[in-house]
PDB file of all heavy atoms in Angstrom:
ATOM      1  N   LEU A   6       4.234 114.534   3.285  1.00  0.00           N
ATOM      2  CA  LEU A   6       2.825 114.437   2.847  1.00  0.00           C
ATOM      3  C   LEU A   6       2.365 112.997   2.646  1.00  0.00           C
ATOM      4  O   LEU A   6       1.163 112.658   2.985  1.00  0.00           O
ATOM      5  CB  LEU A   6       2.590 115.284   1.672  1.00  0.00           C
ATOM      6  CG  LEU A   6       1.206 115.430   1.178  1.00  0.00           C
ATOM      7  CD1 LEU A   6       0.275 116.033   2.237  1.00  0.00           C
ATOM      8  CD2 LEU A   6       1.035 116.174  -0.185  1.00  0.00           C
ATOM      9  N   THR A   7       3.188 112.173   2.094  1.00  0.00           N
ATOM     10  CA  THR A   7       2.960 110.762   1.866  1.00  0.00           C
ATOM     11  C   THR A   7       2.492 110.053   3.154  1.00  0.00           C
ATOM     12  O   THR A   7       1.538 109.334   3.227  1.00  0.00           O
ATOM     13  CB  THR A   7       4.119 110.019   1.187  1.00  0.00           C
ATOM     14  OG1 THR A   7       4.871 110.973   0.361  1.00  0.00           O
ATOM     15  CG2 THR A   7       3.633 108.869   0.339  1.00  0.00           C
ATOM     16  N   GLU A   8       3.325 110.331   4.225  1.00  0.00           N
ATOM     17  CA  GLU A   8       3.014 109.783   5.518  1.00  0.00           C
ATOM     18  C   GLU A   8       1.725 110.276   6.113  1.00  0.00           C
ATOM     19  O   GLU A   8       0.849 109.480   6.638  1.00  0.00           O
ATOM     20  CB  GLU A   8       4.161 110.104   6.491  1.00  0.00           C
ATOM     21  CG  GLU A   8       5.385 109.269   6.240  1.00  0.00           C
ATOM     22  CD  GLU A   8       5.326 107.819   6.830  1.00  0.00           C
ATOM     23  OE1 GLU A   8       4.315 107.551   7.533  1.00  0.00           O
ATOM     24  OE2 GLU A   8       6.202 106.973   6.528  1.00  0.00           O
ATOM     25  N   LEU A   9       1.425 111.543   5.872  1.00  0.00           N
ATOM     26  CA  LEU A   9       0.193 112.146   6.502  1.00  0.00           C
ATOM     27  C   LEU A   9      -1.051 111.494   5.767  1.00  0.00           C
ATOM     28  O   LEU A   9      -2.058 111.228   6.403  1.00  0.00           O
ATOM     29  CB  LEU A   9       0.203 113.624   6.269  1.00  0.00           C
ATOM     30  CG  LEU A   9       1.173 114.463   7.190  1.00  0.00           C
ATOM     31  CD1 LEU A   9       1.172 115.906   6.775  1.00  0.00           C
ATOM     32  CD2 LEU A   9       0.763 114.320   8.665  1.00  0.00           C
ATOM     33  N   LEU A  10      -0.946 111.289   4.439  1.00  0.00           N
ATOM     34  CA  LEU A  10      -2.072 110.737   3.766  1.00  0.00           C
ATOM     35  C   LEU A  10      -2.193 109.289   4.101  1.00  0.00           C
ATOM     36  O   LEU A  10      -3.306 108.710   4.182  1.00  0.00           O
ATOM     37  CB  LEU A  10      -1.889 110.882   2.237  1.00  0.00           C
ATOM     38  CG  LEU A  10      -2.124 112.288   1.682  1.00  0.00           C
ATOM     39  CD1 LEU A  10      -1.571 112.435   0.314  1.00  0.00           C
ATOM     40  CD2 LEU A  10      -3.630 112.657   1.846  1.00  0.00           C
ATOM     41  N   SER A  11      -1.074 108.577   4.375  1.00  0.00           N
ATOM     42  CA  SER A  11      -1.127 107.184   4.878  1.00  0.00           C
ATOM     43  C   SER A  11      -1.853 107.115   6.185  1.00  0.00           C
ATOM     44  O   SER A  11      -2.626 106.185   6.485  1.00  0.00           O
ATOM     45  CB  SER A  11       0.273 106.631   5.006  1.00  0.00           C
ATOM     46  OG  SER A  11       0.308 105.330   5.456  1.00  0.00           O
ATOM     47  N   GLN A  12      -1.559 108.138   7.068  1.00  0.00           N
ATOM     48  CA  GLN A  12      -2.242 108.175   8.383  1.00  0.00           C
ATOM     49  C   GLN A  12      -3.695 108.412   8.187  1.00  0.00           C
ATOM     50  O   GLN A  12      -4.574 108.037   9.103  1.00  0.00           O
ATOM     51  CB  GLN A  12      -1.629 109.291   9.231  1.00  0.00           C
ATOM     52  CG  GLN A  12      -0.215 108.998   9.717  1.00  0.00           C
ATOM     53  CD  GLN A  12       0.479 110.218  10.252  1.00  0.00           C
ATOM     54  OE1 GLN A  12      -0.177 111.140  10.751  1.00  0.00           O
ATOM     55  NE2 GLN A  12       1.737 110.259  10.245  1.00  0.00           N
ATOM     56  N   LYS A  13      -4.102 108.977   7.059  1.00  0.00           N
ATOM     57  CA  LYS A  13      -5.522 109.212   6.776  1.00  0.00           C
ATOM     58  C   LYS A  13      -6.213 107.787   6.377  1.00  0.00           C
ATOM     59  O   LYS A  13      -7.430 107.853   6.294  1.00  0.00           O
ATOM     60  CB  LYS A  13      -5.777 110.239   5.668  1.00  0.00           C
ATOM     61  CG  LYS A  13      -5.500 111.659   6.062  1.00  0.00           C
ATOM     62  CD  LYS A  13      -6.785 112.228   6.783  1.00  0.00           C
ATOM     63  CE  LYS A  13      -6.658 113.673   6.963  1.00  0.00           C
ATOM     64  NZ  LYS A  13      -7.832 114.165   7.788  1.00  0.00           N
ATOM     65  N   GLY A  14      -5.331 106.903   6.095  1.00  0.00           N
ATOM     66  CA  GLY A  14      -5.909 105.636   5.679  1.00  0.00           C
ATOM     67  C   GLY A  14      -5.736 105.244   4.272  1.00  0.00           C
ATOM     68  O   GLY A  14      -6.151 104.165   3.813  1.00  0.00           O
ATOM     69  N   TYR A  15      -5.108 106.167   3.488  1.00  0.00           N
ATOM     70  CA  TYR A  15      -4.902 105.864   2.105  1.00  0.00           C
ATOM     71  C   TYR A  15      -3.720 104.814   1.846  1.00  0.00           C
ATOM     72  O   TYR A  15      -2.750 104.906   2.575  1.00  0.00           O
ATOM     73  CB  TYR A  15      -4.535 107.174   1.279  1.00  0.00           C
ATOM     74  CG  TYR A  15      -5.826 108.008   1.129  1.00  0.00           C
ATOM     75  CD1 TYR A  15      -5.899 109.173   1.958  1.00  0.00           C
ATOM     76  CD2 TYR A  15      -6.790 107.766   0.242  1.00  0.00           C
ATOM     77  CE1 TYR A  15      -7.020 109.969   1.837  1.00  0.00           C
ATOM     78  CE2 TYR A  15      -7.933 108.549   0.129  1.00  0.00           C
ATOM     79  CZ  TYR A  15      -7.996 109.703   0.893  1.00  0.00           C
ATOM     80  OH  TYR A  15      -9.074 110.523   0.845  1.00  0.00           O
ATOM     81  N   ASP A  16      -3.821 103.994   0.897  1.00  0.00           N
ATOM     82  CA  ASP A  16      -2.823 103.031   0.489  1.00  0.00           C
ATOM     83  C   ASP A  16      -1.829 103.814  -0.373  1.00  0.00           C
ATOM     84  O   ASP A  16      -2.051 104.027  -1.594  1.00  0.00           O
ATOM     85  CB  ASP A  16      -3.465 101.833  -0.299  1.00  0.00           C
ATOM     86  CG  ASP A  16      -2.411 100.714  -0.503  1.00  0.00           C
ATOM     87  OD1 ASP A  16      -1.225 100.830  -0.054  1.00  0.00           O
ATOM     88  OD2 ASP A  16      -2.861  99.766  -1.106  1.00  0.00           O
ATOM     89  N   MET A  17      -0.717 104.184   0.128  1.00  0.00           N
ATOM     90  CA  MET A  17       0.212 105.130  -0.567  1.00  0.00           C
ATOM     91  C   MET A  17       1.410 104.580  -1.227  1.00  0.00           C
ATOM     92  O   MET A  17       1.961 103.527  -0.744  1.00  0.00           O
ATOM     93  CB  MET A  17       0.690 106.180   0.482  1.00  0.00           C
ATOM     94  CG  MET A  17      -0.405 106.993   1.101  1.00  0.00           C
ATOM     95  SD  MET A  17      -1.301 108.085  -0.101  1.00  0.00           S
ATOM     96  CE  MET A  17       0.091 109.090  -0.814  1.00  0.00           C
ATOM     97  N   MET A  18       1.842 105.172  -2.341  1.00  0.00           N
ATOM     98  CA  MET A  18       3.055 104.920  -3.002  1.00  0.00           C
ATOM     99  C   MET A  18       3.744 106.282  -3.202  1.00  0.00           C
ATOM    100  O   MET A  18       3.123 107.257  -3.261  1.00  0.00           O
ATOM    101  CB  MET A  18       2.879 104.244  -4.404  1.00  0.00           C
ATOM    102  CG  MET A  18       2.210 102.920  -4.366  1.00  0.00           C
ATOM    103  SD  MET A  18       1.743 102.407  -6.008  1.00  0.00           S
ATOM    104  CE  MET A  18       3.409 102.429  -6.876  1.00  0.00           C
ATOM    105  N   GLY A  19       5.060 106.238  -3.319  1.00  0.00           N
ATOM    106  CA  GLY A  19       5.789 107.469  -3.586  1.00  0.00           C
ATOM    107  C   GLY A  19       6.804 107.269  -4.664  1.00  0.00           C
ATOM    108  O   GLY A  19       7.556 106.288  -4.712  1.00  0.00           O
ATOM    109  N   VAL A  20       6.975 108.240  -5.538  1.00  0.00           N
ATOM    110  CA  VAL A  20       8.037 108.230  -6.609  1.00  0.00           C
ATOM    111  C   VAL A  20       8.839 109.466  -6.512  1.00  0.00           C
ATOM    112  O   VAL A  20       8.293 110.632  -6.407  1.00  0.00           O
ATOM    113  CB  VAL A  20       7.343 108.076  -7.979  1.00  0.00           C
ATOM    114  CG1 VAL A  20       8.417 108.412  -9.161  1.00  0.00           C
ATOM    115  CG2 VAL A  20       6.841 106.693  -8.236  1.00  0.00           C
ATOM    116  N   ASP A  21      10.151 109.467  -6.547  1.00  0.00           N
ATOM    117  CA  ASP A  21      10.968 110.563  -6.626  1.00  0.00           C
ATOM    118  C   ASP A  21      12.273 110.186  -7.277  1.00  0.00           C
ATOM    119  O   ASP A  21      12.683 109.006  -7.284  1.00  0.00           O
ATOM    120  CB  ASP A  21      11.275 111.100  -5.121  1.00  0.00           C
ATOM    121  CG  ASP A  21      11.660 112.530  -5.122  1.00  0.00           C
ATOM    122  OD1 ASP A  21      12.857 112.807  -5.367  1.00  0.00           O
ATOM    123  OD2 ASP A  21      10.762 113.473  -4.949  1.00  0.00           O
ATOM    124  N   ASN A  22      12.988 111.170  -7.810  1.00  0.00           N
ATOM    125  CA  ASN A  22      14.277 110.839  -8.557  1.00  0.00           C
ATOM    126  C   ASN A  22      15.504 111.234  -7.759  1.00  0.00           C
ATOM    127  O   ASN A  22      16.665 111.169  -8.208  1.00  0.00           O
ATOM    128  CB  ASN A  22      14.329 111.582  -9.900  1.00  0.00           C
ATOM    129  CG  ASN A  22      14.587 113.079  -9.767  1.00  0.00           C
ATOM    130  OD1 ASN A  22      14.186 113.630  -8.761  1.00  0.00           O
ATOM    131  ND2 ASN A  22      15.081 113.673 -10.794  1.00  0.00           N
ATOM    132  N   SER A  23      15.297 111.574  -6.448  1.00  0.00           N
ATOM    133  CA  SER A  23      16.488 111.863  -5.564  1.00  0.00           C
ATOM    134  C   SER A  23      16.617 110.719  -4.512  1.00  0.00           C
ATOM    135  O   SER A  23      15.757 110.543  -3.681  1.00  0.00           O
ATOM    136  CB  SER A  23      16.164 113.237  -4.808  1.00  0.00           C
ATOM    137  OG  SER A  23      17.122 113.331  -3.748  1.00  0.00           O
ATOM    138  N   PRO A  24      17.750 109.983  -4.633  1.00  0.00           N
ATOM    139  CA  PRO A  24      17.930 108.904  -3.653  1.00  0.00           C
ATOM    140  C   PRO A  24      18.121 109.431  -2.253  1.00  0.00           C
ATOM    141  O   PRO A  24      17.746 108.814  -1.336  1.00  0.00           O
ATOM    142  CB  PRO A  24      19.234 108.213  -4.160  1.00  0.00           C
ATOM    143  CG  PRO A  24      19.865 109.193  -5.153  1.00  0.00           C
ATOM    144  CD  PRO A  24      18.755 109.976  -5.704  1.00  0.00           C
ATOM    145  N   GLU A  25      18.644 110.699  -2.178  1.00  0.00           N
ATOM    146  CA  GLU A  25      18.906 111.213  -0.815  1.00  0.00           C
ATOM    147  C   GLU A  25      17.542 111.609  -0.168  1.00  0.00           C
ATOM    148  O   GLU A  25      17.361 111.419   1.052  1.00  0.00           O
ATOM    149  CB  GLU A  25      19.754 112.502  -0.937  1.00  0.00           C
ATOM    150  CG  GLU A  25      21.178 112.198  -1.384  1.00  0.00           C
ATOM    151  CD  GLU A  25      21.342 112.197  -2.856  1.00  0.00           C
ATOM    152  OE1 GLU A  25      20.310 112.360  -3.592  1.00  0.00           O
ATOM    153  OE2 GLU A  25      22.469 111.896  -3.352  1.00  0.00           O
ATOM    154  N   MET A  26      16.565 112.132  -0.946  1.00  0.00           N
ATOM    155  CA  MET A  26      15.261 112.419  -0.419  1.00  0.00           C
ATOM    156  C   MET A  26      14.525 111.157  -0.045  1.00  0.00           C
ATOM    157  O   MET A  26      13.908 111.112   1.074  1.00  0.00           O
ATOM    158  CB  MET A  26      14.450 113.282  -1.365  1.00  0.00           C
ATOM    159  CG  MET A  26      15.111 114.558  -1.756  1.00  0.00           C
ATOM    160  SD  MET A  26      14.992 115.911  -0.455  1.00  0.00           S
ATOM    161  CE  MET A  26      13.427 116.680  -0.834  1.00  0.00           C
ATOM    162  N   LEU A  27      14.591 110.163  -0.919  1.00  0.00           N
ATOM    163  CA  LEU A  27      13.919 108.894  -0.610  1.00  0.00           C
ATOM    164  C   LEU A  27      14.509 108.172   0.658  1.00  0.00           C
ATOM    165  O   LEU A  27      13.805 107.431   1.306  1.00  0.00           O
ATOM    166  CB  LEU A  27      13.956 107.994  -1.825  1.00  0.00           C
ATOM    167  CG  LEU A  27      13.006 108.343  -2.974  1.00  0.00           C
ATOM    168  CD1 LEU A  27      13.107 107.325  -4.135  1.00  0.00           C
ATOM    169  CD2 LEU A  27      11.597 108.408  -2.443  1.00  0.00           C
ATOM    170  N   GLU A  28      15.778 108.312   0.843  1.00  0.00           N
ATOM    171  CA  GLU A  28      16.390 107.697   1.973  1.00  0.00           C
ATOM    172  C   GLU A  28      15.836 108.214   3.258  1.00  0.00           C
ATOM    173  O   GLU A  28      15.514 107.409   4.158  1.00  0.00           O
ATOM    174  CB  GLU A  28      17.937 108.000   1.990  1.00  0.00           C
ATOM    175  CG  GLU A  28      18.644 107.346   3.143  1.00  0.00           C
ATOM    176  CD  GLU A  28      20.135 107.715   3.128  1.00  0.00           C
ATOM    177  OE1 GLU A  28      20.617 108.253   2.146  1.00  0.00           O
ATOM    178  OE2 GLU A  28      20.812 107.375   4.149  1.00  0.00           O
ATOM    179  N   ILE A  29      15.530 109.485   3.276  1.00  0.00           N
ATOM    180  CA  ILE A  29      14.883 110.102   4.503  1.00  0.00           C
ATOM    181  C   ILE A  29      13.419 109.632   4.526  1.00  0.00           C
ATOM    182  O   ILE A  29      12.875 109.333   5.638  1.00  0.00           O
ATOM    183  CB  ILE A  29      14.929 111.600   4.370  1.00  0.00           C
ATOM    184  CG1 ILE A  29      16.444 112.101   4.452  1.00  0.00           C
ATOM    185  CG2 ILE A  29      14.183 112.319   5.557  1.00  0.00           C
ATOM    186  CD1 ILE A  29      16.628 113.522   4.149  1.00  0.00           C
ATOM    187  N   ALA A  30      12.716 109.590   3.474  1.00  0.00           N
ATOM    188  CA  ALA A  30      11.353 109.063   3.318  1.00  0.00           C
ATOM    189  C   ALA A  30      11.267 107.681   3.915  1.00  0.00           C
ATOM    190  O   ALA A  30      10.391 107.321   4.690  1.00  0.00           O
ATOM    191  CB  ALA A  30      10.819 109.082   1.928  1.00  0.00           C
ATOM    192  N   MET A  31      12.265 106.859   3.651  1.00  0.00           N
ATOM    193  CA  MET A  31      12.248 105.451   4.079  1.00  0.00           C
ATOM    194  C   MET A  31      12.536 105.380   5.578  1.00  0.00           C
ATOM    195  O   MET A  31      12.175 104.480   6.296  1.00  0.00           O
ATOM    196  CB  MET A  31      13.161 104.640   3.202  1.00  0.00           C
ATOM    197  CG  MET A  31      12.592 104.358   1.864  1.00  0.00           C
ATOM    198  SD  MET A  31      13.560 103.212   0.870  1.00  0.00           S
ATOM    199  CE  MET A  31      14.975 104.263   0.337  1.00  0.00           C
ATOM    200  N   GLU A  32      13.390 106.295   6.008  1.00  0.00           N
ATOM    201  CA  GLU A  32      13.617 106.390   7.536  1.00  0.00           C
ATOM    202  C   GLU A  32      12.292 106.690   8.184  1.00  0.00           C
ATOM    203  O   GLU A  32      11.964 106.173   9.299  1.00  0.00           O
ATOM    204  CB  GLU A  32      14.720 107.431   7.831  1.00  0.00           C
ATOM    205  CG  GLU A  32      16.094 107.105   7.327  1.00  0.00           C
ATOM    206  CD  GLU A  32      17.024 108.209   7.509  1.00  0.00           C
ATOM    207  OE1 GLU A  32      16.646 109.345   7.983  1.00  0.00           O
ATOM    208  OE2 GLU A  32      18.250 108.077   7.105  1.00  0.00           O
ATOM    209  N   LYS A  33      11.561 107.653   7.703  1.00  0.00           N
ATOM    210  CA  LYS A  33      10.193 107.902   8.241  1.00  0.00           C
ATOM    211  C   LYS A  33       9.288 106.676   8.234  1.00  0.00           C
ATOM    212  O   LYS A  33       8.543 106.453   9.120  1.00  0.00           O
ATOM    213  CB  LYS A  33       9.560 109.078   7.547  1.00  0.00           C
ATOM    214  CG  LYS A  33      10.312 110.449   7.699  1.00  0.00           C
ATOM    215  CD  LYS A  33       9.567 111.513   6.873  1.00  0.00           C
ATOM    216  CE  LYS A  33      10.424 112.811   6.958  1.00  0.00           C
ATOM    217  NZ  LYS A  33       9.908 113.911   6.081  1.00  0.00           N
ATOM    218  N   ARG A  34       9.354 105.998   7.123  1.00  0.00           N
ATOM    219  CA  ARG A  34       8.498 104.747   7.000  1.00  0.00           C
ATOM    220  C   ARG A  34       8.881 103.781   8.064  1.00  0.00           C
ATOM    221  O   ARG A  34       7.952 103.107   8.673  1.00  0.00           O
ATOM    222  CB  ARG A  34       8.687 104.215   5.580  1.00  0.00           C
ATOM    223  CG  ARG A  34       7.902 102.893   5.322  1.00  0.00           C
ATOM    224  CD  ARG A  34       8.234 102.291   4.006  1.00  0.00           C
ATOM    225  NE  ARG A  34       9.623 101.853   3.922  1.00  0.00           N
ATOM    226  CZ  ARG A  34      10.152 101.451   2.771  1.00  0.00           C
ATOM    227  NH1 ARG A  34       9.448 101.362   1.619  1.00  0.00           N
ATOM    228  NH2 ARG A  34      11.428 101.024   2.798  1.00  0.00           N
ATOM    229  N   GLU A  35      10.178 103.613   8.297  1.00  0.00           N
ATOM    230  CA  GLU A  35      10.615 102.675   9.292  1.00  0.00           C
ATOM    231  C   GLU A  35      10.148 103.046  10.680  1.00  0.00           C
ATOM    232  O   GLU A  35       9.733 102.261  11.523  1.00  0.00           O
ATOM    233  CB  GLU A  35      12.104 102.520   9.315  1.00  0.00           C
ATOM    234  CG  GLU A  35      12.674 101.462  10.228  1.00  0.00           C
ATOM    235  CD  GLU A  35      14.137 101.387  10.155  1.00  0.00           C
ATOM    236  OE1 GLU A  35      14.821 101.970   9.261  1.00  0.00           O
ATOM    237  OE2 GLU A  35      14.726 100.576  10.981  1.00  0.00           O
ATOM    238  N   GLU A  36      10.108 104.376  10.918  1.00  0.00           N
ATOM    239  CA  GLU A  36       9.685 104.854  12.260  1.00  0.00           C
ATOM    240  C   GLU A  36       8.197 104.712  12.438  1.00  0.00           C
ATOM    241  O   GLU A  36       7.684 104.338  13.472  1.00  0.00           O
ATOM    242  CB  GLU A  36      10.101 106.298  12.454  1.00  0.00           C
ATOM    243  CG  GLU A  36       9.733 106.913  13.794  1.00  0.00           C
ATOM    244  CD  GLU A  36      10.163 108.338  13.901  1.00  0.00           C
ATOM    245  OE1 GLU A  36      11.122 108.786  13.121  1.00  0.00           O
ATOM    246  OE2 GLU A  36       9.757 109.035  14.829  1.00  0.00           O
ATOM    247  N   SER A  37       7.429 104.922  11.370  1.00  0.00           N
ATOM    248  CA  SER A  37       5.986 104.955  11.451  1.00  0.00           C
ATOM    249  C   SER A  37       5.369 103.488  11.170  1.00  0.00           C
ATOM    250  O   SER A  37       4.233 103.257  11.639  1.00  0.00           O
ATOM    251  CB  SER A  37       5.350 105.856  10.438  1.00  0.00           C
ATOM    252  OG  SER A  37       5.529 105.444   9.056  1.00  0.00           O
ATOM    253  N   GLY A  38       6.099 102.694  10.509  1.00  0.00           N
ATOM    254  CA  GLY A  38       5.563 101.365  10.280  1.00  0.00           C
ATOM    255  C   GLY A  38       4.454 101.417   9.145  1.00  0.00           C
ATOM    256  O   GLY A  38       3.645 100.602   9.001  1.00  0.00           O
ATOM    257  N   SER A  39       4.495 102.485   8.368  1.00  0.00           N
ATOM    258  CA  SER A  39       3.421 102.699   7.381  1.00  0.00           C
ATOM    259  C   SER A  39       3.351 101.715   6.242  1.00  0.00           C
ATOM    260  O   SER A  39       2.343 101.438   5.652  1.00  0.00           O
ATOM    261  CB  SER A  39       3.513 104.159   6.793  1.00  0.00           C
ATOM    262  OG  SER A  39       4.706 104.316   6.074  1.00  0.00           O
ATOM    263  N   GLY A  40       4.525 101.203   5.838  1.00  0.00           N
ATOM    264  CA  GLY A  40       4.522 100.258   4.727  1.00  0.00           C
ATOM    265  C   GLY A  40       4.438 100.887   3.355  1.00  0.00           C
ATOM    266  O   GLY A  40       4.094 100.174   2.380  1.00  0.00           O
ATOM    267  N   ILE A  41       4.610 102.177   3.195  1.00  0.00           N
ATOM    268  CA  ILE A  41       4.560 102.959   1.983  1.00  0.00           C
ATOM    269  C   ILE A  41       5.630 102.378   0.985  1.00  0.00           C
ATOM    270  O   ILE A  41       6.770 102.080   1.385  1.00  0.00           O
ATOM    271  CB  ILE A  41       4.786 104.440   2.155  1.00  0.00           C
ATOM    272  CG1 ILE A  41       3.649 105.003   3.054  1.00  0.00           C
ATOM    273  CG2 ILE A  41       4.796 105.139   0.839  1.00  0.00           C
ATOM    274  CD1 ILE A  41       3.973 106.421   3.539  1.00  0.00           C
ATOM    275  N   LEU A  42       5.262 102.109  -0.287  1.00  0.00           N
ATOM    276  CA  LEU A  42       6.168 101.714  -1.320  1.00  0.00           C
ATOM    277  C   LEU A  42       6.821 102.935  -1.979  1.00  0.00           C
ATOM    278  O   LEU A  42       6.069 103.792  -2.487  1.00  0.00           O
ATOM    279  CB  LEU A  42       5.474 100.831  -2.361  1.00  0.00           C
ATOM    280  CG  LEU A  42       6.256 100.513  -3.564  1.00  0.00           C
ATOM    281  CD1 LEU A  42       7.463  99.540  -3.118  1.00  0.00           C
ATOM    282  CD2 LEU A  42       5.403  99.780  -4.656  1.00  0.00           C
ATOM    283  N   TYR A  43       8.104 103.046  -1.875  1.00  0.00           N
ATOM    284  CA  TYR A  43       8.806 104.106  -2.571  1.00  0.00           C
ATOM    285  C   TYR A  43       9.634 103.577  -3.745  1.00  0.00           C
ATOM    286  O   TYR A  43      10.244 102.528  -3.712  1.00  0.00           O
ATOM    287  CB  TYR A  43       9.805 104.801  -1.497  1.00  0.00           C
ATOM    288  CG  TYR A  43       9.018 105.692  -0.524  1.00  0.00           C
ATOM    289  CD1 TYR A  43       9.014 105.272   0.798  1.00  0.00           C
ATOM    290  CD2 TYR A  43       8.375 106.835  -0.928  1.00  0.00           C
ATOM    291  CE1 TYR A  43       8.330 106.045   1.783  1.00  0.00           C
ATOM    292  CE2 TYR A  43       7.760 107.621   0.002  1.00  0.00           C
ATOM    293  CZ  TYR A  43       7.712 107.219   1.375  1.00  0.00           C
ATOM    294  OH  TYR A  43       7.029 107.979   2.226  1.00  0.00           O
ATOM    295  N   LEU A  44       9.604 104.336  -4.817  1.00  0.00           N
ATOM    296  CA  LEU A  44      10.219 104.019  -6.064  1.00  0.00           C
ATOM    297  C   LEU A  44      11.169 105.095  -6.519  1.00  0.00           C
ATOM    298  O   LEU A  44      10.758 106.293  -6.545  1.00  0.00           O
ATOM    299  CB  LEU A  44       9.218 103.706  -7.144  1.00  0.00           C
ATOM    300  CG  LEU A  44       8.270 102.563  -6.978  1.00  0.00           C
ATOM    301  CD1 LEU A  44       7.228 102.498  -8.067  1.00  0.00           C
ATOM    302  CD2 LEU A  44       8.973 101.226  -6.755  1.00  0.00           C
ATOM    303  N   LEU A  45      12.481 104.787  -6.777  1.00  0.00           N
ATOM    304  CA  LEU A  45      13.379 105.773  -7.264  1.00  0.00           C
ATOM    305  C   LEU A  45      13.263 105.817  -8.745  1.00  0.00           C
ATOM    306  O   LEU A  45      13.798 104.924  -9.472  1.00  0.00           O
ATOM    307  CB  LEU A  45      14.841 105.393  -6.860  1.00  0.00           C
ATOM    308  CG  LEU A  45      16.033 106.271  -7.365  1.00  0.00           C
ATOM    309  CD1 LEU A  45      15.843 107.685  -6.861  1.00  0.00           C
ATOM    310  CD2 LEU A  45      17.306 105.655  -7.008  1.00  0.00           C
TER     311      LEU A  45
END
């Protein structure tokens, strides 16, 4: 959802307490080039 809202043009950040979930989120960021800031 973070990526979809970024595609809408929002300046996005994401917070989660699962390093495994955030690792996948950052893989998506690398693929999309969205530049979303993720915080564990």
Side-chain angles (χ1 to χ4, degrees):
L6 182 62
T7 327
E8 285 282 350
L9 288 173
L10 287 167
S11 177
Q12 291 169 22
K13 285 281 188 184
Y15 290 103
D16 189 3
M17 298 299 299
M18 300 170 57
V20 165
D21 204 276
N22 72 336
S23 167
E25 294 85 2
M26 299 286 269
L27 283 183
E28 182 180 351
I29 297 169
M31 289 187 285
E32 290 172 2
K33 294 177 183 177
R34 179 185 66 186
E35 183 175 354
E36 183 177 343
S37 69
S39 62
I41 297 167
L42 173 64
Y43 287 111
L44 300 174
L45 177 62

